[in-house]
């Protein structure tokens, strides 16, 4: 893309062409105002696309194999570890990292912090796609994916925590679609649609907060069904939902910092000045929010350990693993964020956000897989399972990029 | 609050919870059936001191439930050298335990324990499980989505899953021979097949009496515990042993609370969030944007 901009092209960001003469058609909008030839040329020039191509050919075949030969083809068919990487990564890691949508929605729409506006849409998109792909991961994992709607309409088990997760994720997905409709409306030029959504935005945002609080917590509460299977340091029945909810706050914010950093670095042509000039200031703002949530999380984690009287476990091997997770994922980020905020060090804040994301992923994987069945044996996921996870995550990235290239997420649509 | 009304409250809470947020109105749940300990429910008492590990029960179950033939025949005792668990092909397995200081090993039969308050049942989001008045925990394969939460929840690692099936993978577990026997008051196939009277079928309340009588009469022979009397809220299948239960593969750290009790902290939070959050955040919004509104009014007034 940079090459075309150097040749004097401007990335498409309005309904009419730069000379003000012609209206862009949807096809031209999809091609970013390039000719098909130019578009293909820029796609081929990007080495990342080659990597994706390899992943999709190889991983795609294995993913199709999962649906032709069944779960036993791609997993170890474990009875003791019924949940593997598909849910461990796809649900338990993806969902907290997608909490950015409701966090920024709250900040801007409820608390009226309009200074965060330049990054709000990116946060919403990050949330929407994260949830969408969590559902796709779920569909790969379910034994009978075509029965996905059974808990909604066919046979209801309303007393189960997963019932709440199912309903809330479904509802929240539609809320997020609605929240992003204005961006789509601008792109396709349907001003009426935008107005309708605008009038509902406060209601949508508040329902987003409720749904998010509950299903982020519910993901934690799912493990309270197995209080004896997860290592005591990773489960504390009365606090589990709160641990998961609280950590999803900084998980979402830090993921937003990471994604916005990538956008600035690799997609600067698509960002407008409003985004680029504000990003450093906003990153520090997000860092501040993350630091506060991290401190709260640290405190309630300690309360959890104290409440259950788990101090003795800290001396064991599992205890050291726990303290490592807490140090890398919580304590170190608190220290680094504080330094970054005090000294206006945006780079440090970005680095810290990155390790916080890794820390949260480690926490969820620890709870769902690594310390699960700590009294039994460890299970290493099947290599095909890993390949499928990489494939679907790549699809996530490609979809993400496809939308960022087009919809006015990182830039403002010109009237 | 007594047990029943508490549970009803919890159920109403969560069901209502999901509904309120969707439909914007409160609703009481009737969808969840009542479950828990039925007074006349049946059970089986397993006396480990009598078991010789002949695997007759495994063979009988295999036949009764129409399960696939095993790799090694049932009279091949070499399988006892490994610790096995229930699987899609075997609803019950017998394992051998060498007990330090004892000259002969103990054998333990395992299958679904048909809990009074089954974790599998309470965790299933399509309500595939039910506890029958006779005491069996039944599973309905026609509604199961295959999320496998019940396998996560079962504290005894019982439910298995037929992963190899592409079009219709389902949960596989012991069903207390409900359709063929229990429903008609007859003892399960495995109980009938046992040559050593290890397994006693009867009303759960009577079995408890028998168990405690045996312990009282032979205090040297038995450890003073009936496993399953209280564990996770009580189970229909209960065990007597001459060695401490942890030495014969039982988890003795499960506690006496039914699994659902660990989930209830979250379940009580649900209605709170639903009622308090909207007002709270709407309030925040008003406070936070008051200045904007005033500014607007001021400029409009000018
Ligand atoms: S033993 Fe497991 S599968 Fe059987 S009823 Fe209890 S919780 Fe359910
Ligand atoms: S695997 Fe089936 S029976 Fe088990 S919890 Fe999920 S839907 Fe219910
Ligand atoms: S009760 Fe029936 S299904 Fe259960 S282990 Fe015995 S024979 Fe098998």
């Amino acid at each position: 893309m940079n090459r075309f901009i150097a040749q004097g092209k401007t990335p498409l960001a309005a309904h009419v062409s730069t000379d003000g003469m012609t209206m862009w058609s949807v096809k031209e909008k999809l091609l970013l105002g390039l000719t098909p030839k130019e578009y293909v040329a820029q796609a081929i020039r990007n080495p990342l696309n080659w990597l994706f191509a390899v992943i999709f050919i190889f991983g795609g075949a294995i993913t199709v194999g999962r649906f032709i030969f069944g779960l036993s083809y791609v997993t170890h068919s474990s009875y003791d570890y019924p949940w593997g990487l598909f849910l461990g990564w796809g649900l338990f890691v993806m969902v907290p990292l997608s909490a950015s949508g409701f966090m920024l929605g709250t900040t801007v729409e409820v608390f009226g912090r309009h200074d965060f506006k330049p990054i709000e849409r990116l946060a919403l998109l990050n949330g929407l796609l994260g949830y969408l792909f969590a559902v796709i991961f779920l569909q790969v994992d379910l034994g009978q994916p075509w029965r996905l709607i059974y808990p909604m309409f066919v046979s209801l088990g309303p007393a189960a925590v997963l019932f709440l997760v199912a309903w809330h994720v479904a509802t929240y997905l539609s809320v997020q679609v609605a929240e992003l409709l204005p961006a789509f409306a601008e792109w396709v030029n349907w001003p009426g649609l935008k107005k309708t959504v605008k009038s509902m935005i406060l209601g949508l945002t508040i329902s987003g907060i409720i749904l998010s609080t509950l299903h982020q917590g519910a993901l934690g509460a799912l493990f309270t069904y197995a209080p004896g299977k997860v290592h005591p340091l990773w489960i504390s029945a009365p606090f589990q939902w709160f641990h998961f909810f609280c950590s999803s706050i900084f998980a979402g914010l830090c993921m937003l910092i990471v994604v916005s950093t990538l956008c600035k670095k690799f997609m600067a042509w698509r960002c407008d000045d409003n985004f680029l000039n504000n990003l450093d200031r906003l990153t520090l703002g997000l860092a501040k929010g993350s630091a506060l949530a991290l401190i709260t999380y640290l405190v309630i984690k300690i309360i959890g350990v104290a409440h259950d009287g788990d101090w003795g476990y800290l001396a064991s091997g599992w205890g050291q693993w726990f303290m490592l997770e807490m140090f890398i994922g919580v304590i170190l980020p608190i220290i680094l964020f504080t330094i970054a905020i005090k000294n206006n060090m945006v780079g440090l804040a970005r680095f810290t956000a990155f390790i916080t994301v890794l820390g949260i992923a480690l926490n969820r994987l620890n709870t769902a897989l690594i310390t699960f069945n700590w009294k039994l044996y460890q299970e290493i996921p099947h290599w095909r399972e890993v390949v499928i996870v990489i494939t679907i995550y790549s699809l996530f990235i490609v979809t993400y990029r496809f939308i960022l290239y087009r919809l006015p997420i990182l830039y403002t649509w010109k009237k | 609050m007594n047990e029943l009304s508490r549970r009803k409250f919890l159920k109403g809470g969560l069901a209502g919870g999901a509904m309120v947020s969707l439909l914007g109105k409160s609703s009481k749940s009737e969808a969840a059936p009542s479950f828990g300990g039925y007074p006349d429910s049946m059970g089986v008492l397993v006396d480990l001191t009598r078991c010789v590990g002949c695997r007759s029960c495994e063979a009988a179950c295999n036949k009764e439930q129409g399960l696939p033939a095993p790799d090694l025949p049932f009279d091949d005792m070499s399988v006892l050298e490994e610790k096995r668990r229930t699987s899609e092909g075997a609803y019950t397995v017998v394992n051998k335990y060498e007990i330090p200081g004892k000259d002969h090993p103990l054998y333990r039969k395992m299958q679904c324990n048909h809990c009074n308050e089954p974790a599998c049942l309470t965790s299933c989001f399509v309500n595939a499980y039910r506890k029958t008045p006779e005491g069996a925990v039944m599973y309905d394969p026609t509604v199961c989505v295959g999320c496998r939460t019940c396998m996560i929840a079962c504290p005894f690692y019982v439910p298995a899953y037929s992963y190899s099936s592409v079009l219709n993978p389902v949960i596989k577990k012991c069903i207390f021979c409900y359709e063929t026997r229990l429903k008609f008051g007859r003892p399960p196939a495995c109980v009938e097949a046992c040559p050593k009277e290890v397994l006693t079928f009867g009303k759960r309340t009577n079995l408890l009496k028998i168990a405690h009588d045996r312990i009282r009469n032979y205090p040297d022979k038995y450890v003073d515990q009936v496993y399953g009397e209280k564990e996770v809220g009580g189970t229909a299948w209960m065990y007597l042993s001459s060695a401490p239960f942890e030495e014969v593969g039982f988890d003795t750290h499960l506690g006496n609370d039914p699994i659902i009790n660990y989930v209830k902290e979250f379940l009580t939070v649900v209605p709170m969030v639903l009622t308090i959050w909207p007002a709270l955040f709407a309030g925040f919004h008003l406070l936070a944007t008051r200045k904007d509104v005033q500014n607007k009014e001021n400029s409009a007034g000018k």
Side-chain angles (χ1 to χ4, degrees):
Chain A
M1 208 58 211
N2 286 331
R3 187 176 303 202
F4 287 113
I5 293 166
Q7 286 167 12
K9 295 220 176 218
T10 29
L12 189 144
H15 297 300
V16 281
S17 59
T18 23
D19 51 19
M21 296 309 279
T22 39
M23 284 290 269
W24 293 115
S25 71
V26 171
K27 183 177 154 217
E28 283 160 323
K29 283 179 184 170
L30 278 176
L31 292 177
L32 306 169
L34 302 176
T35 64
K37 229 199 204 143
E38 288 171 329
Y39 186 81
V40 172
Q42 64 88 29
I44 289 181
R45 252 200 312 275
N46 187 342
L48 199 61
N49 288 338
W50 287 96
L51 178 66
F52 283 137
V54 174
I55 293 178
F56 289 144
I57 291 170
F58 184 58
I62 290 183
T63 311
V64 171
R66 178 259 169 264
F67 290 99
I68 295 177
F69 305 116
L71 277 168
S72 59
Y73 174 69
V74 294
T75 71
H76 290 308
S77 307
S78 174
Y79 304 134
D80 297 328
Y81 286 88
W83 290 346
L85 266 190
F86 298 149
L87 294 192
W89 174 268
L91 188 67
F92 293 109
V93 177
M94 291 281 279
V95 170
L97 293 183
S98 311
S100 57
F102 100 90
M103 288 308 301
L104 268 277
T106 313
T107 312
V108 177
E109 308 298 342
V110 177
F111 292 117
R113 289 289 303 269
H114 294 286
D115 48 332
F116 278 91
K117 210 115 206 172
I119 207 168
E120 185 193 8
R121 279 187 177 172
L122 181 61
L124 290 173
L125 182 69
N126 184 57
L128 173 63
L129 289 180
Y131 277 84
L132 186 67
F133 277 81
V135 174
I136 292 176
F137 271 112
L138 183 72
Q139 284 295 66
V140 176
D141 186 70
L142 285 181
Q144 308 211 17
W146 46 89
R147 290 186 180 170
L148 182 69
I149 54 147
Y150 274 33
M152 315 297 191
F153 305 112
V154 179
S155 178
L156 279 62
V161 172
L162 198 62
F163 180 81
L164 180 140
V165 176
W167 270 103
H168 280 199
V169 167
T171 325
Y172 188 46
L173 259 179
S174 21
V175 168
Q176 287 184 309
V177 169
E179 284 176 322
L180 272 172
L181 272 181
F184 182 70
E186 285 170 8
W187 188 74
V188 289
N189 202 8
W190 289 341
L193 181 65
K194 188 176 166 182
K195 234 188 236 148
T196 325
V197 179
K198 272 258 145 81
S199 64
M200 311 187 316
I201 202 73
L202 184 63
L204 284 174
T205 311
I206 291 186
S207 52
I209 304 173
I210 298 170
L211 293 167
S212 297
T213 313
L214 287 177
H215 69 239
Q216 295 282 2
L219 287 181
L222 270 179
F223 290 99
T224 59
Y225 280 116
K229 295 186 184 177
V230 182
H231 189 283
L233 285 171
W234 279 270
I235 189 155
S236 171
F239 301 106
Q240 195 71 1
W241 76 270
F242 198 54
H243 286 165
F244 267 55
F245 169 65
C246 186
S247 50
S248 77
I249 295 178
F250 59 79
L253 295 179
C254 288
M255 187 65 185
L256 184 57
I257 298 182
V258 170
V259 173
S260 61
T261 306
L262 293 176
C263 292
K264 183 183 164 141
K265 206 156 167 39
F266 298 108
M267 234 183 268
W269 61 268
R270 183 71 288 185
C271 310
D272 63 5
D273 293 344
N274 185 27
F275 181 84
L276 290 178
N277 297 342
N278 280 309
L279 191 57
D280 287 0
R281 178 179 57 81
L282 294 180
T283 301
L284 287 175
L286 296 175
K288 220 179 267 172
S290 306
L292 288 176
L294 276 161
I295 292 170
T296 318
Y297 180 67
L298 180 63
V299 173
I300 56 171
K301 268 301 233 205
I302 295 173
I303 293 179
V305 173
H307 175 271
D308 299 350
D310 290 336
W311 297 113
Y313 289 111
L314 287 181
S316 68
W318 286 119
Q320 283 161 13
W321 183 235
F322 175 78
M323 287 192 286
L324 187 73
E325 177 201 304
M326 290 302 286
F327 181 74
I328 296 181
V330 184
I331 297 172
L332 189 65
I334 293 178
I335 298 171
L336 294 182
F337 269 142
T338 315
I339 298 175
I341 295 163
K342 275 239 164 74
N343 304 306
N344 258 329
M345 297 156 75
V346 186
L348 182 63
R350 293 193 166 120
F351 170 74
T352 313
F354 183 69
I355 59 169
T356 313
V357 166
L358 293 184
I360 204 72
L362 181 63
N363 171 264
R364 296 306 197 260
L365 290 176
N366 268 336
T367 314
L369 291 174
I370 300 172
T371 84
F372 193 81
N373 285 341
W374 62 292
K375 292 182 200 160
L376 295 184
Y377 56 95
Q378 283 301 306
E379 192 177 80
I380 313 288
H382 196 290
W383 66 268
R384 290 203 181 96
E385 203 173 327
V386 180
V387 170
I388 292 185
V389 168
I390 294 175
T391 310
I392 298 184
Y393 204 75
S394 305
L395 190 64
F396 166 73
I397 297 173
V398 170
T399 316
Y400 212 141
R401 191 180 64 176
F402 179 87
I403 296 179
L404 284 180
Y405 271 11
R406 289 162 180 85
L407 295 194
I409 304 281
L410 300 170
Y411 69 98
T412 323
W413 195 258
K414 296 189 191 78
K415 294 269 155 50
Chain B
M1 249 195 277
N2 66 25
E3 270 298 290
L4 247 176
S5 66
R6 177 186 59 85
R7 188 165 311 109
K8 256 195 200 135
F9 160 74
L10 289 180
K11 257 184 200 163
L14 189 47
M19 297 301 163
V20 168
S21 54
L22 289 164
L23 313 172
K25 68 173 176 37
S26 147
S27 72
K28 287 202 189 70
S29 147
E30 315 89 63
S34 70
F35 59 96
Y38 292 98
D40 284 332
S41 71
M42 310 298 283
V44 173
L45 180 65
V46 186
D47 191 332
L48 268 56
T49 65
R50 299 178 180 181
C51 181
V52 293
C54 70
R55 303 183 64 212
S56 307
C57 53
E58 288 188 32
C61 177
N62 181 280
K63 189 160 160 251
E64 178 81 11
Q65 298 299 334
L67 299 173
D71 295 340
L72 294 171
F74 285 108
D75 52 13
D76 187 335
M77 294 303 147
S78 64
V79 296
L80 291 173
E81 297 314 313
E82 248 181 78
K83 297 276 177 292
R84 297 170 297 151
R85 58 153 287 162
T86 52
S87 64
E88 58 178 297
Y91 294 173
T92 183
V93 293
V94 177
N95 280 333
K96 181 166 96 174
Y97 295 89
E98 301 289 351
I99 309 297
K102 277 214 164 84
D103 48 1
H104 61 89
L106 280 180
Y107 299 92
R108 169 205 176 198
K109 173 188 189 300
M110 63 181 281
Q111 71 299 305
C112 170
N113 285 324
H114 299 275
C115 308
N116 289 348
E117 302 206 36
C120 54
L121 184 155
T122 45
S123 72
C124 176
F125 72 153
V126 291
N127 226 345
Y129 288 90
R130 79 195 150 99
K131 172 98 177 158
T132 74
E134 298 88 345
V137 175
M138 297 294 291
Y139 158 80
D140 178 1
T142 62
V143 295
C144 171
V145 178
C147 68
R148 309 192 290 283
T149 313
C150 51
M151 299 169 71
I152 295 276
C154 172
F156 302 110
Y157 291 93
V158 166
Y161 196 66
S162 50
Y163 287 101
S164 53
S165 167
V166 181
L167 290 178
N168 194 27
V170 289
I171 294 288
K172 296 276 192 177
K173 77 166 194 75
C174 153
I175 51 165
F176 214 149
C177 291
Y178 181 76
E179 300 291 355
T180 47
R181 291 159 170 269
L182 185 66
K183 203 156 71 177
F184 312 107
R186 290 173 48 215
C190 55
V191 172
E192 254 182 21
C194 178
K196 293 286 179 190
E197 292 187 19
V198 174
L199 311 166
T200 316
F201 171 73
K203 248 188 210 154
R204 185 172 187 272
T205 42
N206 293 344
L207 292 176
L208 274 171
K209 276 194 208 107
I210 297 175
H212 284 291
D213 281 347
R214 282 190 204 165
I215 295 175
R216 198 172 324 112
N217 294 338
Y218 304 96
D220 300 338
K221 190 170 168 191
Y222 295 104
V223 292
D224 187 11
Q225 183 187 0
V226 183
Y227 191 96
E229 178 178 10
K230 302 205 183 87
E231 278 71 16
V232 291
T235 56
W237 286 59
M238 296 172 292
Y239 305 82
L240 285 174
S241 167
S242 53
F245 279 98
E246 56 271 18
E247 287 179 18
V248 272
F250 288 87
D251 189 344
T252 48
H253 299 286
L254 292 178
N256 294 341
D257 278 321
I259 294 295
I260 188 72
N261 280 13
Y262 298 92
V263 188
K264 73 174 184 228
E265 262 89 4
F266 174 68
L267 299 187
T268 43
V269 166
V270 175
M272 267 161 41
V273 168
L274 286 171
T275 44
I276 299 173
W277 260 214
L280 193 66
F281 283 93
F284 281 152
H285 175 70
L286 288 180
L287 280 178
T289 51
R290 205 172 45 189
K291 250 194 238 132
D292 300 354
V293 176
Q294 273 172 357
N295 286 348
K296 251 185 220 152
E297 272 169 5
N298 287 347
S299 51
K302 265 173 214 164

